[in-house]
């Protein structure tokens, strides 16, 4: 379990800014190749759906081409090993919560789960996530934030005990969701939060014991790391 590197998780933290529902049940490589086959259409679609003209993950079409091509050429095994499952993205109903599960199955027995990573997307569109970000500065719980807990708890029905050994990650609010799910459940073995915002003093006081117990698996990363990854990828191709 926990096979993915921080760089691979950051890649998924970016990829989830696309609507992955159309790739449900497909390997990541299929999504990457499909987007690269017509990157302008995919980027424009992502801009015009619920993101109010903003580039997905604030990356231009050219930057997406660089990133996707670099992983396709230099880390194809990773892209071919993981399947996209349980993608959620219901902005049509003004619910902007978005997550996806990436599952690696055994090559010898595709019913055996070897690794599971859950990725949460950052704040998107103009939905309730923005107000939730502000209000969480003075509270310990919200229905919006708790969606991350409900999501990973639901994975137990699909993956059994394997769902008790998750890697979780996300960018910005996605990183906050990943941390929240790690603190409030016992299903996470590793949490990589990319620029995820923090919590209220009330939250930190209430869950001080849980945070201390899970301190070693809570891994915060900054955008500096992401920029270094982008530079390395551009140099690689």
């Amino acid at each position: 379990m926990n096979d993915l590197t921080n760089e691979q998780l950051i890649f998924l933290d970016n990829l989830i800014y696309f609507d992955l529902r159309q790739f449900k049940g497909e390997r990541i490589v299929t999504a990457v190749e499909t987007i690269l086959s017509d990157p302008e259409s995919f980027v424009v679609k992502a801009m015009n759906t619920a993101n109010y003209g903003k580039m997905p993950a604030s990356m231009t079409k050219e930057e997406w081409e660089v990133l996707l091509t670099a992983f396709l050429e230099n880390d194809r095994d990773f892209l071919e090993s993981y399947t996209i499952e349980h993608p959620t993205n219901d902005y049509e109903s003004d619910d902007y919560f978005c997550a996806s599960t990436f599952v690696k199955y055994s090559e010898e027995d595709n019913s055996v789960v070897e690794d599971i990573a859950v990725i949460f997307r950052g704040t998107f569109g103009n939905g309730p996530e923005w107000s939730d970000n502000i209000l969480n500065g003075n509270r310990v719980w919200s229905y919006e934030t708790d969606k991350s807990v409900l999501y990973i708890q639901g994975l137990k029905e699909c993956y059994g005990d394997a769902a008790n050994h998750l890697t979780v990650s996300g960018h910005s609010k996605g990183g906050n969701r990943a941390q929240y799910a790690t603190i409030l459940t016992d299903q996470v073995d590793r949490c990589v939060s990319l620029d995820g915002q923090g919590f209220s003093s009330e939250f930190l006081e209430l869950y001080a014991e849980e945070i201390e117990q899970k301190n070693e698996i809570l891994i915060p990363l900054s955008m500096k790391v992401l920029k270094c990854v982008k530079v390395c990828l551009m140099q690689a191709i």
Side-chain angles (χ1 to χ4, degrees), residues 132-140 145 172-173 175-177 179-180 183 193-204 211 220:
D132 191 63
N133 292 343
I134 298 172
L135 293 173
N136 282 347
N138 291 293
R139 62 187 181 187
V140 300
T145 307
S172 190
K173 187 173 186 65
N176 177 267
R177 289 188 184 278
Q179 295 174 80
Y180 184 87
I183 294 167
S193 172
L194 179 62
D195 275 345
Q197 62 264 49
F199 299 92
S200 68
S201 57
E202 293 85 355
F203 180 94
L204 296 176
I211 294 171

Side-chain angles (χ1 to χ4, degrees), residues 176-213:
N176 177 267
R177 289 188 184 278
Q179 295 174 80
Y180 184 87
T182 301
I183 294 167
L184 268 68
T185 75
D186 291 319
Q187 292 178 243
V188 179
D189 287 349
R190 175 177 167 223
C191 170
V192 178
S193 172
L194 179 62
D195 275 345
Q197 62 264 49
F199 299 92
S200 68
S201 57
E202 293 85 355
F203 180 94
L204 296 176
E205 182 178 351
L206 180 62
Y207 293 105
E209 184 177 345
E210 288 83 353
I211 294 171
E212 178 64 27
Q213 291 175 348

Side-chain angles (χ1 to χ4, degrees), residues 157-182:
E157 297 181 10
C158 304
Y159 306 111
D161 184 62
N164 292 320
H165 301 281
L166 304 173
T167 295
V168 297
S169 185
H171 161 253
S172 190
K173 187 173 186 65
N176 177 267
R177 289 188 184 278
Q179 295 174 80
Y180 184 87
T182 301

Side-chain angles (χ1 to χ4, degrees), residues 96-147:
Y96 290 81
F97 171 75
C98 178
S100 186
T101 304
F102 298 86
V103 186
K104 180 180 180 181
Y105 293 96
S106 169
E107 293 184 4
E108 290 74 25
D109 184 351
N110 60 12
S111 68
V112 176
V113 174
E114 292 188 346
D115 192 35
I116 303 177
V118 175
I119 306 296
F120 298 103
R121 188 185 61 196
T123 311
F124 195 75
N126 196 28
E129 292 183 320
W130 286 108
S131 59
D132 191 63
N133 292 343
I134 298 172
L135 293 173
N136 282 347
N138 291 293
R139 62 187 181 187
V140 300
W141 180 91
S142 74
Y143 172 70
E144 181 63 39
T145 307
D146 209 45
K147 291 175 182 178

